[in-house]
Amino acid sequence: MTKFARITVDPAQMGGVPCIRGQRIPVATVVGLVAEGMTEAEILGAYPDLERQDIREALQFAAEAVGERELPLAIP
């Protein structure tokens, strides 16, 4: 996980949830905002402590995290 310089995991902060640069902004929150259709500019406006690269790295982190897990099969 050292390749993600902007993602921090601290068991003493937010229960160890991956966050952006030691702030109390979880990666999941950023990814969720993108999934809801917010633009980069809207996210940065809502979270002024974030930087554009934080959003990109959050998405990269999430993509890698999902890629490392075996997904359950859908039951029709």
Side-chain angles (χ1 to χ4, degrees):
M1 277 215 223
T2 57
K3 69 181 186 176
F4 295 105
R6 294 174 172 267
I7 308 300
T8 55
V9 177
D10 180 354
Q13 180 182 353
M14 303 285 291
V17 169
C19 291
I20 306 295
R21 294 184 288 118
Q23 301 176 45
R24 293 183 158 298
I25 305 172
V27 168
T29 297
V30 176
V31 173
L33 295 172
V34 172
E36 290 174 7
M38 285 184 75
T39 66
E40 212 174 63
E42 290 171 329
I43 295 170
L44 295 173
Y47 293 87
D49 292 332
L50 287 180
E51 300 171 0
R52 291 188 190 288
Q53 190 56 34
D54 294 329
I55 298 169
R56 292 184 189 111
E57 192 159 309
L59 292 171
Q60 291 169 340
F61 182 88
E64 187 160 311
V66 171
E68 291 179 0
R69 293 186 170 89
E70 185 175 322
L71 298 176
L73 295 175
I75 299 174

Short mmCIF file of all heavy atoms in Angstrom, two decimals:
data_model
loop_
_atom_site.label_atom_id
_atom_site.label_comp_id
_atom_site.label_asym_id
_atom_site.label_seq_id
_atom_site.Cartn_x
_atom_site.Cartn_y
_atom_site.Cartn_z
N MET A 1 0.80 -1.19 0.00
CA MET A 1 0.00 0.00 0.00
C MET A 1 0.85 1.26 0.00
O MET A 1 0.31 2.34 -0.01
CB MET A 1 -0.92 0.01 1.21
CG MET A 1 -2.17 -0.77 1.00
SD MET A 1 -3.54 -0.03 1.83
CE MET A 1 -4.29 -1.46 2.51
N THR A 2 2.13 1.13 0.01
CA THR A 2 2.98 2.31 0.04
C THR A 2 2.92 3.10 -1.25
O THR A 2 3.33 4.25 -1.28
CB THR A 2 4.44 1.93 0.35
OG1 THR A 2 4.86 0.98 -0.63
CG2 THR A 2 4.57 1.35 1.75
N LYS A 3 2.39 2.52 -2.31
CA LYS A 3 2.31 3.27 -3.56
C LYS A 3 1.19 4.31 -3.54
O LYS A 3 1.09 5.11 -4.44
CB LYS A 3 2.15 2.33 -4.75
CG LYS A 3 0.83 1.62 -4.84
CD LYS A 3 0.85 0.72 -6.05
CE LYS A 3 -0.47 0.08 -6.30
NZ LYS A 3 -0.47 -0.71 -7.50
N PHE A 4 0.39 4.29 -2.49
CA PHE A 4 -0.67 5.29 -2.34
C PHE A 4 -0.23 6.31 -1.29
O PHE A 4 -0.52 6.18 -0.11
CB PHE A 4 -1.98 4.62 -1.93
CG PHE A 4 -2.53 3.70 -2.99
CD1 PHE A 4 -2.44 2.33 -2.85
CD2 PHE A 4 -3.13 4.22 -4.12
CE1 PHE A 4 -2.93 1.49 -3.84
CE2 PHE A 4 -3.63 3.39 -5.10
CZ PHE A 4 -3.53 2.02 -4.96
N ALA A 5 0.45 7.32 -1.74
CA ALA A 5 1.03 8.32 -0.84
C ALA A 5 -0.03 9.19 -0.18
O ALA A 5 0.20 9.76 0.88
CB ALA A 5 2.01 9.20 -1.61
N ARG A 6 -1.22 9.29 -0.77
CA ARG A 6 -2.26 10.16 -0.25
C ARG A 6 -3.31 9.42 0.58
O ARG A 6 -4.22 10.03 1.11
CB ARG A 6 -2.95 10.89 -1.40
CG ARG A 6 -2.02 11.86 -2.10
CD ARG A 6 -2.66 12.47 -3.32
NE ARG A 6 -1.83 13.51 -3.85
CZ ARG A 6 -1.94 14.80 -3.53
NH1 ARG A 6 -2.87 15.21 -2.72
NH2 ARG A 6 -1.12 15.68 -4.04
N ILE A 7 -3.17 8.12 0.68
CA ILE A 7 -4.12 7.32 1.44
C ILE A 7 -3.45 6.88 2.74
O ILE A 7 -2.34 6.34 2.72
CB ILE A 7 -4.56 6.07 0.65
CG1 ILE A 7 -5.06 6.42 -0.75
CG2 ILE A 7 -5.60 5.27 1.44
CD1 ILE A 7 -6.25 7.34 -0.81
N THR A 8 -4.11 7.14 3.86
CA THR A 8 -3.56 6.75 5.15
C THR A 8 -4.54 5.83 5.86
O THR A 8 -5.76 5.96 5.71
CB THR A 8 -3.28 7.98 6.03
OG1 THR A 8 -4.47 8.77 6.14
CG2 THR A 8 -2.18 8.85 5.44
N VAL A 9 -3.98 4.89 6.61
CA VAL A 9 -4.78 3.98 7.42
C VAL A 9 -4.18 4.02 8.81
O VAL A 9 -3.03 3.64 9.02
CB VAL A 9 -4.74 2.55 6.85
CG1 VAL A 9 -5.53 1.60 7.74
CG2 VAL A 9 -5.28 2.52 5.43
N ASP A 10 -4.96 4.52 9.77
CA ASP A 10 -4.51 4.66 11.14
C ASP A 10 -5.59 4.08 12.05
O ASP A 10 -6.70 4.60 12.09
CB ASP A 10 -4.28 6.14 11.46
CG ASP A 10 -3.81 6.38 12.88
OD1 ASP A 10 -3.74 5.42 13.68
OD2 ASP A 10 -3.50 7.55 13.19
N PRO A 11 -5.26 2.99 12.75
CA PRO A 11 -6.27 2.37 13.62
C PRO A 11 -6.85 3.34 14.67
O PRO A 11 -7.97 3.15 15.13
CB PRO A 11 -5.51 1.23 14.31
CG PRO A 11 -4.34 0.96 13.43
CD PRO A 11 -4.01 2.26 12.76
N ALA A 12 -6.11 4.38 15.01
CA ALA A 12 -6.57 5.34 16.01
C ALA A 12 -7.46 6.43 15.40
O ALA A 12 -7.98 7.27 16.12
CB ALA A 12 -5.37 5.98 16.70
N GLN A 13 -7.60 6.42 14.08
CA GLN A 13 -8.43 7.44 13.41
C GLN A 13 -9.49 6.76 12.56
O GLN A 13 -9.19 5.93 11.72
CB GLN A 13 -7.57 8.33 12.51
CG GLN A 13 -8.37 9.39 11.80
CD GLN A 13 -7.51 10.22 10.87
OE1 GLN A 13 -6.30 10.11 10.85
NE2 GLN A 13 -8.13 11.06 10.10
N MET A 14 -10.73 7.12 12.77
CA MET A 14 -11.86 6.60 11.99
C MET A 14 -11.90 5.07 11.98
O MET A 14 -12.29 4.45 11.00
CB MET A 14 -11.81 7.13 10.55
CG MET A 14 -11.80 8.63 10.40
SD MET A 14 -13.40 9.39 10.70
CE MET A 14 -14.33 8.83 9.29
N GLY A 15 -11.43 4.46 13.05
CA GLY A 15 -11.46 3.00 13.16
C GLY A 15 -10.59 2.28 12.15
O GLY A 15 -10.83 1.12 11.83
N GLY A 16 -9.59 2.95 11.61
CA GLY A 16 -8.69 2.32 10.65
C GLY A 16 -9.19 2.33 9.22
O GLY A 16 -8.61 1.69 8.35
N VAL A 17 -10.25 3.08 8.96
CA VAL A 17 -10.79 3.20 7.60
C VAL A 17 -9.79 3.99 6.75
O VAL A 17 -9.26 4.99 7.21
CB VAL A 17 -12.16 3.92 7.65
CG1 VAL A 17 -12.64 4.30 6.27
CG2 VAL A 17 -13.18 3.07 8.36
N PRO A 18 -9.52 3.56 5.52
CA PRO A 18 -8.62 4.33 4.66
C PRO A 18 -9.15 5.75 4.44
O PRO A 18 -10.31 5.92 4.06
CB PRO A 18 -8.60 3.54 3.35
CG PRO A 18 -9.00 2.16 3.74
CD PRO A 18 -9.96 2.32 4.88
N CYS A 19 -8.30 6.74 4.70
CA CYS A 19 -8.68 8.14 4.59
C CYS A 19 -7.71 8.89 3.69
O CYS A 19 -6.65 8.38 3.32
CB CYS A 19 -8.68 8.80 5.98
SG CYS A 19 -9.99 8.19 7.06
N ILE A 20 -8.07 10.10 3.36
CA ILE A 20 -7.25 10.96 2.51
C ILE A 20 -6.28 11.75 3.37
O ILE A 20 -6.70 12.52 4.24
CB ILE A 20 -8.13 11.93 1.70
CG1 ILE A 20 -9.19 11.19 0.90
CG2 ILE A 20 -7.26 12.81 0.80
CD1 ILE A 20 -8.69 10.28 -0.18
N ARG A 21 -5.01 11.55 3.17
CA ARG A 21 -3.92 12.30 3.79
C ARG A 21 -4.09 12.56 5.28
O ARG A 21 -3.85 13.66 5.76
CB ARG A 21 -3.70 13.63 3.06
CG ARG A 21 -3.19 13.45 1.65
CD ARG A 21 -2.89 14.78 0.97
NE ARG A 21 -4.10 15.49 0.64
CZ ARG A 21 -4.42 16.69 1.15
NH1 ARG A 21 -3.64 17.32 1.98
NH2 ARG A 21 -5.55 17.28 0.77
N GLY A 22 -4.50 11.56 6.03
CA GLY A 22 -4.61 11.70 7.47
C GLY A 22 -5.79 12.54 7.93
O GLY A 22 -5.95 12.80 9.11
N GLN A 23 -6.62 12.96 7.00
CA GLN A 23 -7.80 13.74 7.35
C GLN A 23 -8.95 12.78 7.66
O GLN A 23 -8.87 11.59 7.43
CB GLN A 23 -8.19 14.65 6.18
CG GLN A 23 -7.10 15.63 5.78
CD GLN A 23 -7.50 16.43 4.56
OE1 GLN A 23 -8.61 16.92 4.48
NE2 GLN A 23 -6.58 16.55 3.62
N ARG A 24 -10.02 13.31 8.14
CA ARG A 24 -11.19 12.49 8.45
C ARG A 24 -12.13 12.43 7.25
O ARG A 24 -13.35 12.55 7.38
CB ARG A 24 -11.90 13.04 9.68
CG ARG A 24 -11.08 12.92 10.95
CD ARG A 24 -11.87 13.42 12.13
NE ARG A 24 -11.45 12.93 13.41
CZ ARG A 24 -11.41 11.68 13.85
NH1 ARG A 24 -11.75 10.72 13.05
NH2 ARG A 24 -11.04 11.39 15.06
N ILE A 25 -11.54 12.24 6.09
CA ILE A 25 -12.32 12.09 4.85
C ILE A 25 -12.01 10.70 4.30
O ILE A 25 -10.96 10.46 3.71
CB ILE A 25 -11.95 13.17 3.81
CG1 ILE A 25 -12.12 14.58 4.39
CG2 ILE A 25 -12.80 12.99 2.55
CD1 ILE A 25 -11.60 15.69 3.50
N PRO A 26 -12.93 9.75 4.52
CA PRO A 26 -12.69 8.38 4.05
C PRO A 26 -12.64 8.28 2.53
O PRO A 26 -13.35 9.01 1.82
CB PRO A 26 -13.88 7.60 4.60
CG PRO A 26 -14.43 8.43 5.72
CD PRO A 26 -14.16 9.86 5.31
N VAL A 27 -11.84 7.36 2.06
CA VAL A 27 -11.77 7.06 0.63
C VAL A 27 -13.17 6.70 0.13
O VAL A 27 -13.58 7.15 -0.94
CB VAL A 27 -10.77 5.91 0.36
CG1 VAL A 27 -10.90 5.38 -1.06
CG2 VAL A 27 -9.35 6.36 0.64
N ALA A 28 -13.91 5.93 0.91
CA ALA A 28 -15.26 5.51 0.51
C ALA A 28 -16.19 6.70 0.28
O ALA A 28 -17.04 6.66 -0.61
CB ALA A 28 -15.85 4.57 1.55
N THR A 29 -16.01 7.75 1.05
CA THR A 29 -16.84 8.95 0.87
C THR A 29 -16.55 9.58 -0.49
O THR A 29 -17.47 9.93 -1.23
CB THR A 29 -16.57 9.97 1.99
OG1 THR A 29 -16.97 9.39 3.23
CG2 THR A 29 -17.33 11.27 1.76
N VAL A 30 -15.28 9.71 -0.81
CA VAL A 30 -14.88 10.33 -2.09
C VAL A 30 -15.38 9.48 -3.26
O VAL A 30 -15.97 10.00 -4.21
CB VAL A 30 -13.36 10.53 -2.15
CG1 VAL A 30 -12.93 11.07 -3.50
CG2 VAL A 30 -12.89 11.46 -1.02
N VAL A 31 -15.18 8.17 -3.17
CA VAL A 31 -15.63 7.28 -4.25
C VAL A 31 -17.15 7.34 -4.37
O VAL A 31 -17.68 7.37 -5.48
CB VAL A 31 -15.13 5.84 -4.00
CG1 VAL A 31 -15.72 4.87 -5.01
CG2 VAL A 31 -13.61 5.80 -4.05
N GLY A 32 -17.84 7.39 -3.26
CA GLY A 32 -19.29 7.48 -3.28
C GLY A 32 -19.79 8.75 -3.95
O GLY A 32 -20.77 8.72 -4.70
N LEU A 33 -19.11 9.86 -3.70
CA LEU A 33 -19.51 11.12 -4.33
C LEU A 33 -19.33 11.05 -5.85
O LEU A 33 -20.18 11.54 -6.60
CB LEU A 33 -18.68 12.27 -3.76
CG LEU A 33 -18.92 12.58 -2.27
CD1 LEU A 33 -17.91 13.61 -1.77
CD2 LEU A 33 -20.34 13.04 -2.02
N VAL A 34 -18.25 10.43 -6.29
CA VAL A 34 -18.03 10.25 -7.73
C VAL A 34 -19.14 9.36 -8.30
O VAL A 34 -19.71 9.66 -9.35
CB VAL A 34 -16.63 9.66 -8.01
CG1 VAL A 34 -16.48 9.30 -9.48
CG2 VAL A 34 -15.54 10.64 -7.59
N ALA A 35 -19.45 8.29 -7.58
CA ALA A 35 -20.49 7.36 -8.04
C ALA A 35 -21.86 8.03 -8.13
O ALA A 35 -22.68 7.68 -8.99
CB ALA A 35 -20.56 6.15 -7.11
N GLU A 36 -22.11 9.02 -7.26
CA GLU A 36 -23.38 9.74 -7.29
C GLU A 36 -23.44 10.77 -8.41
O GLU A 36 -24.46 11.40 -8.63
CB GLU A 36 -23.60 10.44 -5.95
CG GLU A 36 -23.90 9.48 -4.82
CD GLU A 36 -23.99 10.15 -3.47
OE1 GLU A 36 -23.95 11.41 -3.40
OE2 GLU A 36 -24.09 9.43 -2.47
N GLY A 37 -22.31 10.95 -9.11
CA GLY A 37 -22.30 11.85 -10.24
C GLY A 37 -21.73 13.23 -9.98
O GLY A 37 -21.79 14.10 -10.84
N MET A 38 -21.18 13.44 -8.80
CA MET A 38 -20.57 14.75 -8.53
C MET A 38 -19.32 14.92 -9.37
O MET A 38 -18.55 13.97 -9.57
CB MET A 38 -20.22 14.89 -7.04
CG MET A 38 -21.41 15.12 -6.16
SD MET A 38 -20.97 15.39 -4.41
CE MET A 38 -20.34 17.07 -4.48
N THR A 39 -19.12 16.11 -9.86
CA THR A 39 -17.92 16.40 -10.63
C THR A 39 -16.76 16.65 -9.67
O THR A 39 -16.95 16.89 -8.48
CB THR A 39 -18.11 17.65 -11.51
OG1 THR A 39 -18.25 18.79 -10.65
CG2 THR A 39 -19.30 17.51 -12.43
N GLU A 40 -15.57 16.62 -10.22
CA GLU A 40 -14.38 16.91 -9.44
C GLU A 40 -14.51 18.28 -8.79
O GLU A 40 -14.22 18.46 -7.61
CB GLU A 40 -13.16 16.85 -10.36
CG GLU A 40 -11.91 16.39 -9.70
CD GLU A 40 -10.77 16.21 -10.69
OE1 GLU A 40 -10.34 17.20 -11.31
OE2 GLU A 40 -10.32 15.06 -10.84
N ALA A 41 -14.96 19.26 -9.55
CA ALA A 41 -15.10 20.63 -9.04
C ALA A 41 -16.12 20.68 -7.90
O ALA A 41 -15.90 21.39 -6.91
CB ALA A 41 -15.51 21.57 -10.17
N GLU A 42 -17.22 19.95 -8.02
CA GLU A 42 -18.22 19.93 -6.95
C GLU A 42 -17.67 19.29 -5.68
O GLU A 42 -17.93 19.78 -4.57
CB GLU A 42 -19.47 19.17 -7.42
CG GLU A 42 -20.26 19.91 -8.48
CD GLU A 42 -21.36 19.06 -9.10
OE1 GLU A 42 -21.22 17.82 -9.19
OE2 GLU A 42 -22.38 19.66 -9.50
N ILE A 43 -16.93 18.22 -5.84
CA ILE A 43 -16.33 17.55 -4.67
C ILE A 43 -15.33 18.48 -3.99
O ILE A 43 -15.33 18.62 -2.77
CB ILE A 43 -15.67 16.22 -5.08
CG1 ILE A 43 -16.73 15.23 -5.58
CG2 ILE A 43 -14.87 15.63 -3.91
CD1 ILE A 43 -16.18 13.99 -6.23
N LEU A 44 -14.50 19.13 -4.78
CA LEU A 44 -13.51 20.05 -4.22
C LEU A 44 -14.19 21.24 -3.54
O LEU A 44 -13.70 21.75 -2.53
CB LEU A 44 -12.54 20.52 -5.30
CG LEU A 44 -11.65 19.42 -5.89
CD1 LEU A 44 -10.85 19.96 -7.07
CD2 LEU A 44 -10.75 18.81 -4.84
N GLY A 45 -15.32 21.66 -4.06
CA GLY A 45 -16.07 22.72 -3.43
C GLY A 45 -16.69 22.29 -2.10
O GLY A 45 -16.74 23.05 -1.14
N ALA A 46 -17.15 21.06 -2.04
CA ALA A 46 -17.77 20.53 -0.83
C ALA A 46 -16.73 20.18 0.24
O ALA A 46 -17.00 20.23 1.43
CB ALA A 46 -18.61 19.30 -1.16
N TYR A 47 -15.54 19.80 -0.21
CA TYR A 47 -14.44 19.42 0.68
C TYR A 47 -13.20 20.22 0.32
O TYR A 47 -12.31 19.74 -0.38
CB TYR A 47 -14.15 17.92 0.56
CG TYR A 47 -15.26 17.05 1.08
CD1 TYR A 47 -16.32 16.66 0.25
CD2 TYR A 47 -15.27 16.60 2.39
CE1 TYR A 47 -17.35 15.86 0.73
CE2 TYR A 47 -16.29 15.79 2.88
CZ TYR A 47 -17.33 15.43 2.04
OH TYR A 47 -18.35 14.64 2.51
N PRO A 48 -13.11 21.46 0.79
CA PRO A 48 -12.01 22.35 0.38
C PRO A 48 -10.61 21.85 0.76
O PRO A 48 -9.63 22.29 0.17
CB PRO A 48 -12.31 23.67 1.09
CG PRO A 48 -13.58 23.50 1.82
CD PRO A 48 -14.06 22.11 1.66
N ASP A 49 -10.52 20.91 1.71
CA ASP A 49 -9.21 20.38 2.08
C ASP A 49 -8.70 19.33 1.09
O ASP A 49 -7.54 18.94 1.16
CB ASP A 49 -9.26 19.77 3.48
CG ASP A 49 -9.46 20.83 4.56
OD1 ASP A 49 -9.06 21.98 4.34
OD2 ASP A 49 -10.03 20.50 5.61
N LEU A 50 -9.57 18.87 0.20
CA LEU A 50 -9.15 17.90 -0.81
C LEU A 50 -8.45 18.59 -1.97
O LEU A 50 -8.70 19.76 -2.25
CB LEU A 50 -10.36 17.13 -1.36
CG LEU A 50 -10.99 16.09 -0.46
CD1 LEU A 50 -12.17 15.44 -1.18
CD2 LEU A 50 -10.00 15.03 -0.02
N GLU A 51 -7.63 17.81 -2.65
CA GLU A 51 -6.97 18.25 -3.89
C GLU A 51 -7.36 17.29 -5.00
O GLU A 51 -7.76 16.15 -4.74
CB GLU A 51 -5.46 18.26 -3.69
CG GLU A 51 -5.01 19.19 -2.57
CD GLU A 51 -3.53 19.04 -2.22
OE1 GLU A 51 -2.83 18.21 -2.84
OE2 GLU A 51 -3.09 19.75 -1.30
N ARG A 52 -7.24 17.74 -6.22
CA ARG A 52 -7.62 16.89 -7.38
C ARG A 52 -6.95 15.52 -7.31
O ARG A 52 -7.58 14.51 -7.58
CB ARG A 52 -7.26 17.58 -8.69
CG ARG A 52 -8.11 18.79 -8.98
CD ARG A 52 -7.85 19.34 -10.39
NE ARG A 52 -8.49 20.62 -10.58
CZ ARG A 52 -9.80 20.81 -10.71
NH1 ARG A 52 -10.61 19.80 -10.67
NH2 ARG A 52 -10.29 22.02 -10.89
N GLN A 53 -5.69 15.50 -6.98
CA GLN A 53 -4.96 14.24 -6.94
C GLN A 53 -5.51 13.30 -5.86
O GLN A 53 -5.44 12.09 -5.99
CB GLN A 53 -3.45 14.47 -6.74
CG GLN A 53 -2.61 13.23 -6.93
CD GLN A 53 -2.80 12.56 -8.28
OE1 GLN A 53 -3.01 13.20 -9.30
NE2 GLN A 53 -2.75 11.24 -8.30
N ASP A 54 -6.08 13.86 -4.80
CA ASP A 54 -6.70 13.03 -3.76
C ASP A 54 -7.85 12.21 -4.36
O ASP A 54 -8.00 11.03 -4.05
CB ASP A 54 -7.25 13.90 -2.63
CG ASP A 54 -6.18 14.64 -1.85
OD1 ASP A 54 -5.05 14.13 -1.74
OD2 ASP A 54 -6.49 15.74 -1.35
N ILE A 55 -8.65 12.85 -5.19
CA ILE A 55 -9.79 12.16 -5.81
C ILE A 55 -9.30 11.04 -6.72
O ILE A 55 -9.78 9.91 -6.66
CB ILE A 55 -10.67 13.15 -6.58
CG1 ILE A 55 -11.25 14.20 -5.62
CG2 ILE A 55 -11.78 12.43 -7.34
CD1 ILE A 55 -11.92 15.38 -6.30
N ARG A 56 -8.32 11.35 -7.52
CA ARG A 56 -7.78 10.34 -8.44
C ARG A 56 -7.19 9.15 -7.68
O ARG A 56 -7.41 8.00 -8.04
CB ARG A 56 -6.73 10.98 -9.35
CG ARG A 56 -7.34 11.97 -10.31
CD ARG A 56 -6.30 12.52 -11.28
NE ARG A 56 -6.89 13.62 -12.03
CZ ARG A 56 -6.54 14.88 -11.88
NH1 ARG A 56 -5.58 15.23 -11.05
NH2 ARG A 56 -7.13 15.83 -12.59
N GLU A 57 -6.44 9.45 -6.63
CA GLU A 57 -5.82 8.37 -5.88
C GLU A 57 -6.86 7.55 -5.11
O GLU A 57 -6.73 6.34 -4.99
CB GLU A 57 -4.75 8.90 -4.93
CG GLU A 57 -3.91 7.77 -4.37
CD GLU A 57 -2.57 8.21 -3.85
OE1 GLU A 57 -1.83 8.91 -4.58
OE2 GLU A 57 -2.25 7.85 -2.71
N ALA A 58 -7.92 8.18 -4.64
CA ALA A 58 -8.99 7.45 -3.98
C ALA A 58 -9.63 6.46 -4.94
O ALA A 58 -9.90 5.31 -4.58
CB ALA A 58 -10.05 8.41 -3.43
N LEU A 59 -9.84 6.89 -6.17
CA LEU A 59 -10.42 5.99 -7.18
C LEU A 59 -9.46 4.85 -7.53
O LEU A 59 -9.88 3.70 -7.67
CB LEU A 59 -10.80 6.77 -8.43
CG LEU A 59 -11.96 7.75 -8.26
CD1 LEU A 59 -12.10 8.64 -9.49
CD2 LEU A 59 -13.24 7.02 -7.96
N GLN A 60 -8.19 5.16 -7.64
CA GLN A 60 -7.19 4.12 -7.92
C GLN A 60 -7.12 3.12 -6.77
O GLN A 60 -7.04 1.91 -6.99
CB GLN A 60 -5.82 4.75 -8.16
CG GLN A 60 -5.73 5.53 -9.44
CD GLN A 60 -4.45 6.36 -9.52
OE1 GLN A 60 -3.80 6.65 -8.52
NE2 GLN A 60 -4.10 6.77 -10.74
N PHE A 61 -7.15 3.62 -5.54
CA PHE A 61 -7.11 2.77 -4.36
C PHE A 61 -8.32 1.83 -4.35
O PHE A 61 -8.19 0.63 -4.11
CB PHE A 61 -7.09 3.64 -3.10
CG PHE A 61 -7.01 2.86 -1.82
CD1 PHE A 61 -5.78 2.51 -1.29
CD2 PHE A 61 -8.16 2.50 -1.13
CE1 PHE A 61 -5.70 1.79 -0.10
CE2 PHE A 61 -8.09 1.80 0.06
CZ PHE A 61 -6.86 1.45 0.57
N ALA A 62 -9.50 2.38 -4.60
CA ALA A 62 -10.72 1.58 -4.60
C ALA A 62 -10.68 0.52 -5.70
O ALA A 62 -11.07 -0.62 -5.48
CB ALA A 62 -11.94 2.48 -4.78
N ALA A 63 -10.20 0.90 -6.88
CA ALA A 63 -10.12 -0.05 -7.99
C ALA A 63 -9.19 -1.20 -7.64
O ALA A 63 -9.50 -2.37 -7.90
CB ALA A 63 -9.65 0.65 -9.25
N GLU A 64 -8.08 -0.90 -7.02
CA GLU A 64 -7.15 -1.96 -6.65
C GLU A 64 -7.72 -2.82 -5.53
O GLU A 64 -7.57 -4.04 -5.54
CB GLU A 64 -5.80 -1.38 -6.22
CG GLU A 64 -4.78 -2.46 -6.00
CD GLU A 64 -3.36 -1.97 -6.03
OE1 GLU A 64 -3.00 -1.25 -6.97
OE2 GLU A 64 -2.61 -2.33 -5.11
N ALA A 65 -8.40 -2.21 -4.58
CA ALA A 65 -8.99 -2.97 -3.47
C ALA A 65 -10.04 -3.95 -3.98
O ALA A 65 -10.08 -5.10 -3.54
CB ALA A 65 -9.62 -2.02 -2.46
N VAL A 66 -10.84 -3.53 -4.93
CA VAL A 66 -11.86 -4.42 -5.49
C VAL A 66 -11.20 -5.52 -6.32
O VAL A 66 -11.64 -6.67 -6.31
CB VAL A 66 -12.89 -3.63 -6.34
CG1 VAL A 66 -13.80 -4.56 -7.10
CG2 VAL A 66 -13.69 -2.71 -5.45
N GLY A 67 -10.16 -5.18 -7.03
CA GLY A 67 -9.47 -6.15 -7.87
C GLY A 67 -8.79 -7.24 -7.08
O GLY A 67 -8.53 -8.32 -7.61
N GLU A 68 -8.52 -7.02 -5.81
CA GLU A 68 -7.83 -8.00 -4.98
C GLU A 68 -8.78 -9.01 -4.36
O GLU A 68 -8.35 -9.98 -3.78
CB GLU A 68 -7.06 -7.29 -3.86
CG GLU A 68 -5.89 -6.49 -4.36
CD GLU A 68 -5.16 -5.77 -3.24
OE1 GLU A 68 -5.59 -5.90 -2.07
OE2 GLU A 68 -4.18 -5.10 -3.53
N ARG A 69 -10.06 -8.80 -4.47
CA ARG A 69 -11.03 -9.68 -3.83
C ARG A 69 -11.77 -10.51 -4.86
O ARG A 69 -12.05 -10.06 -5.96
CB ARG A 69 -12.02 -8.85 -3.03
CG ARG A 69 -11.36 -8.18 -1.86
CD ARG A 69 -12.41 -7.50 -1.00
NE ARG A 69 -11.84 -7.05 0.23
CZ ARG A 69 -11.27 -5.87 0.41
NH1 ARG A 69 -11.19 -5.02 -0.57
NH2 ARG A 69 -10.79 -5.53 1.59
N GLU A 70 -12.13 -11.70 -4.44
CA GLU A 70 -12.97 -12.52 -5.28
C GLU A 70 -14.42 -12.11 -5.04
O GLU A 70 -14.89 -12.08 -3.91
CB GLU A 70 -12.78 -13.99 -4.91
CG GLU A 70 -13.53 -14.94 -5.82
CD GLU A 70 -13.22 -16.38 -5.49
OE1 GLU A 70 -12.08 -16.68 -5.16
OE2 GLU A 70 -14.16 -17.18 -5.57
N LEU A 71 -15.10 -11.74 -6.09
CA LEU A 71 -16.48 -11.29 -5.97
C LEU A 71 -17.42 -12.48 -5.91
O LEU A 71 -17.22 -13.49 -6.58
CB LEU A 71 -16.86 -10.40 -7.15
CG LEU A 71 -16.05 -9.10 -7.28
CD1 LEU A 71 -16.45 -8.35 -8.54
CD2 LEU A 71 -16.27 -8.22 -6.06
N PRO A 72 -18.47 -12.38 -5.10
CA PRO A 72 -19.43 -13.48 -5.04
C PRO A 72 -20.21 -13.60 -6.34
O PRO A 72 -20.43 -12.61 -7.02
CB PRO A 72 -20.35 -13.09 -3.88
CG PRO A 72 -20.20 -11.61 -3.78
CD PRO A 72 -18.81 -11.28 -4.26
N LEU A 73 -20.61 -14.79 -6.65
CA LEU A 73 -21.42 -15.00 -7.86
C LEU A 73 -22.84 -14.52 -7.61
O LEU A 73 -23.39 -14.70 -6.52
CB LEU A 73 -21.45 -16.49 -8.22
CG LEU A 73 -20.10 -17.10 -8.63
CD1 LEU A 73 -20.27 -18.60 -8.85
CD2 LEU A 73 -19.59 -16.45 -9.89
N ALA A 74 -23.43 -13.92 -8.61
CA ALA A 74 -24.80 -13.46 -8.52
C ALA A 74 -25.72 -14.68 -8.64
O ALA A 74 -25.49 -15.57 -9.44
CB ALA A 74 -25.12 -12.46 -9.60
N ILE A 75 -26.73 -14.71 -7.81
CA ILE A 75 -27.71 -15.81 -7.88
C ILE A 75 -28.93 -15.28 -8.60
O ILE A 75 -29.54 -14.31 -8.17
CB ILE A 75 -28.07 -16.28 -6.46
CG1 ILE A 75 -26.82 -16.79 -5.74
CG2 ILE A 75 -29.16 -17.35 -6.52
CD1 ILE A 75 -27.03 -17.14 -4.29
N PRO A 76 -29.28 -15.92 -9.73
CA PRO A 76 -30.43 -15.44 -10.51
C PRO A 76 -31.74 -15.60 -9.80
O PRO A 76 -31.99 -16.32 -8.95
CB PRO A 76 -30.39 -16.27 -11.78
CG PRO A 76 -29.43 -17.38 -11.56
CD PRO A 76 -28.67 -17.08 -10.31
#
